Coordinates of all heavy atoms in Angstrom, one line a residue:
L1 N 162.9 16.3 -89.3 CA 162.3 16.6 -88.0 C 161.0 17.4 -88.1 O 160.6 17.9 -87.1 CB 163.3 17.4 -87.2 CG 164.7 16.7 -86.8 CD1 165.6 17.7 -86.1 CD2 164.4 15.5 -86.0
S2 N 160.4 17.4 -89.3 CA 159.2 18.2 -89.5 C 158.1 17.7 -88.6 O 157.4 18.6 -88.0 CB 158.8 18.2 -91.0 OG 158.5 16.8 -91.3
N3 N 157.9 16.4 -88.4 CA 156.8 15.9 -87.6 C 157.0 16.3 -86.1 O 156.0 16.7 -85.4 CB 156.6 14.4 -87.7 CG 156.1 14.0 -89.1 OD1 155.3 14.8 -89.7 ND2 156.5 12.8 -89.5
F4 N 158.2 16.3 -85.6 CA 158.6 16.7 -84.3 C 158.3 18.2 -84.1 O 157.6 18.5 -83.1 CB 160.0 16.4 -84.0 CG 160.5 16.9 -82.7 CD1 160.2 16.3 -81.5 CD2 161.3 18.0 -82.6 CE1 160.6 16.8 -80.3 CE2 161.8 18.6 -81.4 CZ 161.4 17.9 -80.2
Y5 N 158.7 19.0 -85.0 CA 158.4 20.4 -84.8 C 156.9 20.7 -84.9 O 156.4 21.6 -84.2 CB 159.1 21.2 -86.0 CG 160.6 21.2 -85.8 CD1 161.5 21.0 -86.9 CD2 161.2 21.4 -84.6 CE1 162.8 21.1 -86.8 CE2 162.6 21.4 -84.5 CZ 163.4 21.2 -85.5 OH 164.7 21.2 -85.4
K6 N 156.2 20.0 -85.7 CA 154.7 20.2 -85.8 C 154.1 20.0 -84.5 O 153.2 20.7 -84.0 CB 154.1 19.3 -86.9 CG 154.4 19.7 -88.3 CD 153.8 18.6 -89.3 CE 154.2 18.8 -90.7 NZ 153.7 17.8 -91.6
I7 N 154.5 18.9 -83.8 CA 153.9 18.5 -82.5 C 154.2 19.6 -81.5 O 153.4 20.0 -80.7 CB 154.4 17.1 -82.1 CG1 153.9 16.1 -83.0 CG2 154.0 16.8 -80.6 CD1 154.5 14.7 -82.7
I8 N 155.5 20.0 -81.4 CA 156.0 21.0 -80.5 C 155.1 22.3 -80.6 O 154.7 22.9 -79.6 CB 157.4 21.3 -80.7 CG1 158.3 20.1 -80.3 CG2 157.8 22.5 -79.8 CD1 158.1 19.6 -78.8
F9 N 155.0 22.8 -81.9 CA 154.2 24.0 -82.1 C 152.7 23.9 -81.9 O 152.1 24.9 -81.6 CB 154.6 24.6 -83.5 CG 155.9 25.2 -83.6 CD1 156.9 24.7 -84.3 CD2 156.2 26.4 -83.0 CE1 158.2 25.2 -84.4 CE2 157.4 27.0 -83.0 CZ 158.4 26.4 -83.8
F10 N 152.2 22.7 -82.1 CA 150.8 22.5 -82.1 C 150.3 22.3 -80.7 O 149.1 22.5 -80.4 CB 150.4 21.3 -83.0 CG 149.0 21.2 -83.4 CD1 148.5 22.1 -84.3 CD2 148.1 20.4 -82.8 CE1 147.1 22.1 -84.7 CE2 146.7 20.3 -83.1 CZ 146.3 21.2 -84.1
I11 N 151.1 21.8 -79.8 CA 150.7 21.5 -78.4 C 149.9 22.7 -77.7 O 148.9 22.5 -77.1 CB 151.9 21.0 -77.5 CG1 152.2 19.6 -77.9 CG2 151.6 21.1 -76.0 CD1 153.5 19.1 -77.2
P12 N 150.5 23.9 -77.8 CA 149.7 25.1 -77.2 C 148.3 25.2 -77.7 O 147.4 25.6 -76.9 CB 150.6 26.3 -77.5 CG 151.9 25.7 -77.8 CD 151.7 24.4 -78.4
Y13 N 148.1 24.9 -79.0 CA 146.7 25.1 -79.5 C 145.7 24.2 -79.0 O 144.6 24.5 -78.8 CB 146.8 25.0 -81.1 CG 145.5 25.3 -81.7 CD1 145.0 26.6 -81.9 CD2 144.6 24.3 -82.2 CE1 143.8 26.9 -82.4 CE2 143.4 24.6 -82.7 CZ 143.0 25.9 -82.9 OH 141.8 26.2 -83.4
I14 N 146.1 23.0 -78.6 CA 145.2 22.0 -78.1 C 145.2 22.0 -76.6 O 144.4 21.2 -76.0 CB 145.5 20.6 -78.6 CG1 146.9 20.1 -78.2 CG2 145.4 20.5 -80.1 CD1 147.3 18.7 -78.6
S15 N 146.0 22.8 -76.0 CA 146.0 22.9 -74.5 C 144.9 23.8 -74.0 O 144.5 24.8 -74.8 CB 147.3 23.5 -74.0 OG 148.4 22.7 -74.4
P16 N 144.3 23.6 -72.8 CA 143.2 24.4 -72.3 C 143.7 25.9 -72.2 O 144.7 26.1 -71.6 CB 142.9 23.8 -71.0 CG 143.4 22.4 -71.0 CD 144.6 22.5 -71.9
M17 N 142.8 26.8 -72.6 CA 143.2 28.2 -72.6 C 143.4 28.7 -71.2 O 144.3 29.6 -70.9 CB 142.2 29.1 -73.3 CG 142.6 30.5 -73.6 SD 144.0 30.6 -74.7 CE 145.1 31.7 -73.8
V18 N 142.6 28.2 -70.2 CA 142.8 28.6 -68.8 C 144.2 28.2 -68.3 O 144.8 29.0 -67.6 CB 141.7 28.0 -67.9 CG1 141.9 28.3 -66.5 CG2 140.3 28.5 -68.4
A19 N 144.6 27.0 -68.6 CA 145.9 26.6 -68.2 C 147.0 27.4 -68.8 O 148.0 27.8 -68.1 CB 146.1 25.1 -68.5
I20 N 146.9 27.7 -70.1 CA 147.8 28.6 -70.8 C 147.9 29.9 -70.1 O 149.0 30.5 -69.8 CB 147.5 28.7 -72.2 CG1 147.7 27.4 -73.0 CG2 148.3 29.8 -72.9 CD1 147.2 27.3 -74.4
A21 N 146.7 30.5 -69.8 CA 146.7 31.9 -69.2 C 147.3 31.9 -67.8 O 148.0 32.8 -67.5 CB 145.2 32.3 -69.1
L22 N 147.1 30.8 -67.0 CA 147.7 30.7 -65.7 C 149.2 30.6 -65.8 O 149.9 31.2 -65.0 CB 147.1 29.5 -65.0 CG 145.7 29.7 -64.5 CD1 145.2 28.4 -63.9 CD2 145.5 30.8 -63.5
I23 N 149.7 29.9 -66.8 CA 151.2 29.8 -67.0 C 151.8 31.2 -67.4 O 152.8 31.6 -66.8 CB 151.5 28.8 -68.1 CG1 151.2 27.4 -67.7 CG2 153.0 28.9 -68.5 CD1 151.3 26.3 -68.7
W24 N 151.1 31.9 -68.3 CA 151.6 33.2 -68.6 C 151.4 34.2 -67.5 O 152.1 35.2 -67.4 CB 150.9 33.7 -69.9 CG 151.5 33.1 -71.1 CD1 151.1 31.9 -71.8 CD2 152.6 33.6 -71.8 NE1 151.9 31.7 -72.9 CE2 152.9 32.7 -72.9 CE3 153.4 34.7 -71.7 CZ2 153.9 32.9 -73.8 CZ3 154.5 34.9 -72.6 CH2 154.7 33.9 -73.6
Q25 N 150.4 34.0 -66.6 CA 150.3 34.9 -65.5 C 151.5 34.7 -64.6 O 152.0 35.7 -64.0 CB 149.0 34.5 -64.7 CG 148.6 35.4 -63.6 CD 147.3 35.0 -62.9 OE1 147.2 33.9 -62.5 NE2 146.4 35.9 -62.8
W26 N 152.0 33.5 -64.4 CA 153.3 33.4 -63.7 C 154.5 34.0 -64.4 O 155.3 34.6 -63.8 CB 153.5 31.9 -63.4 CG 154.9 31.5 -63.0 CD1 155.5 31.9 -61.8 CD2 155.9 30.9 -63.8 NE1 156.8 31.5 -61.8 CE2 157.1 30.8 -63.0 CE3 155.9 30.2 -65.0 CZ2 158.3 30.2 -63.4 CZ3 157.1 29.6 -65.5 CH2 158.2 29.6 -64.7
I27 N 154.5 33.8 -65.7 CA 155.6 34.4 -66.5 C 155.6 35.9 -66.4 O 156.7 36.5 -66.2 CB 155.4 34.0 -68.0 CG1 155.7 32.5 -68.2 CG2 156.5 34.8 -68.9 CD1 155.5 32.0 -69.6
Y28 N 154.4 36.5 -66.4 CA 154.3 38.0 -66.3 C 154.3 38.5 -64.8 O 154.1 39.7 -64.6 CB 153.0 38.5 -67.0 CG 153.1 38.4 -68.5 CD1 152.0 37.9 -69.2 CD2 154.2 38.8 -69.2 CE1 152.0 37.8 -70.6 CE2 154.2 38.7 -70.6 CZ 153.1 38.2 -71.3 OH 153.1 38.2 -72.6
S29 N 154.4 37.7 -63.8 CA 154.3 38.1 -62.4 C 155.3 39.2 -62.2 O 156.5 39.2 -62.7 CB 154.6 36.9 -61.5 OG 153.6 36.0 -61.6
P30 N 154.9 40.2 -61.4 CA 155.9 41.3 -61.0 C 157.0 40.9 -60.2 O 157.0 39.9 -59.5 CB 155.0 42.3 -60.3 CG 153.9 41.5 -59.8 CD 153.6 40.4 -60.7
G31 N 158.1 41.7 -60.2 CA 159.3 41.3 -59.5 C 160.0 40.2 -60.1 O 159.7 39.8 -61.3
E32 N 161.0 39.6 -59.4 CA 161.7 38.5 -59.9 C 161.0 37.1 -59.7 O 161.6 36.1 -60.0 CB 163.1 38.4 -59.3 CG 164.0 39.6 -59.7 CD 165.4 39.4 -59.3 OE1 165.8 38.4 -58.8 OE2 166.2 40.4 -59.5
V33 N 159.7 37.2 -59.2 CA 159.0 35.9 -59.1 C 158.6 35.4 -60.5 O 158.6 34.2 -60.8 CB 157.7 36.2 -58.3 CG1 156.8 34.9 -58.3 CG2 158.1 36.6 -56.9
G34 N 158.3 36.4 -61.4 CA 157.9 36.0 -62.8 C 159.1 35.6 -63.6 O 160.2 36.2 -63.5
L35 N 158.9 34.7 -64.5 CA 160.0 34.2 -65.3 C 160.6 35.3 -66.2 O 161.8 35.4 -66.4 CB 159.6 33.0 -66.2 CG 160.6 32.4 -67.1 CD1 161.8 31.8 -66.3 CD2 159.9 31.3 -68.0
L36 N 159.7 36.1 -66.8 CA 160.2 37.1 -67.7 C 161.0 38.2 -67.0 O 162.1 38.5 -67.5 CB 158.9 37.8 -68.4 CG 159.2 38.9 -69.4 CD1 160.1 38.4 -70.5 CD2 158.0 39.5 -70.0
N37 N 160.6 38.7 -65.9 CA 161.4 39.6 -65.1 C 162.7 39.0 -64.6 O 163.7 39.7 -64.6 CB 160.6 40.2 -64.0 CG 159.6 41.3 -64.4 OD1 159.8 42.0 -65.3 ND2 158.4 41.3 -63.8
Y38 N 162.6 37.8 -64.2 CA 163.8 37.1 -63.7 C 164.9 37.0 -64.8 O 166.0 37.2 -64.6 CB 163.5 35.7 -63.2 CG 164.6 34.9 -62.7 CD1 165.3 35.2 -61.5 CD2 165.1 33.8 -63.5 CE1 166.3 34.5 -61.1 CE2 166.2 33.1 -63.0 CZ 166.8 33.4 -61.8 OH 167.9 32.7 -61.4
T39 N 164.4 36.7 -66.0 CA 165.3 36.6 -67.2 C 165.9 37.9 -67.5 O 167.1 38.0 -67.8 CB 164.6 36.0 -68.4 OG1 164.0 34.7 -68.1 CG2 165.5 35.8 -69.6
L40 N 165.0 39.0 -67.5 CA 165.5 40.3 -67.9 C 166.5 40.9 -66.8 O 167.3 41.7 -67.2 CB 164.3 41.3 -68.0 CG 163.3 41.0 -69.1 CD1 162.2 42.0 -69.1 CD2 164.1 41.1 -70.5
S41 N 166.5 40.3 -65.6 CA 167.4 40.8 -64.5 C 168.8 40.5 -64.9 O 169.7 41.2 -64.4 CB 167.0 40.2 -63.2 OG 167.2 38.8 -63.2
F42 N 169.0 39.4 -65.7 CA 170.4 39.1 -66.1 C 171.0 40.1 -67.0 O 172.2 40.2 -67.2 CB 170.4 37.7 -66.7 CG 170.2 36.6 -65.8 CD1 169.0 35.9 -65.7 CD2 171.2 36.1 -64.9 CE1 168.7 34.9 -64.8 CE2 171.0 35.1 -64.1 CZ 169.7 34.5 -64.0
F43 N 170.1 40.9 -67.7 CA 170.6 41.9 -68.6 C 170.5 43.3 -68.0 O 170.5 44.3 -68.7 CB 169.8 41.8 -69.9 CG 169.9 40.5 -70.6 CD1 168.9 39.5 -70.4 CD2 170.9 40.2 -71.4 CE1 168.9 38.3 -71.0 CE2 171.0 39.0 -72.0 CZ 170.0 38.0 -71.8

């Protein structure tokens, strides 16, 4: 599965940095709107 894993890990590098930053902006959003805080709420 080495070729599959290479593609999965390499996709972020070839993705536009602005798009990546916007995705992480949503992940880091305050409250339970953001994915990270929503996940941490289960713990």
Side-chain angles (χ1 to χ4, degrees):
L1 296 175
S2 62
N3 290 332
F4 172 75
Y5 290 137
K6 287 178 189 177
I7 294 172
I8 293 299
F9 283 110
F10 199 74
I11 285 175
Y13 185 77
I14 61 177
S15 301
M17 192 63 229
V18 173
I20 291 174
L22 289 173
I23 292 172
W24 280 93
Q25 189 176 52
W26 165 66
I27 293 174
Y28 287 137
S29 294
E32 293 190 3
V33 176
L35 179 61
L36 180 57
N37 282 326
Y38 178 74
T39 303
L40 292 176
S41 67
F42 289 101
F43 303 96

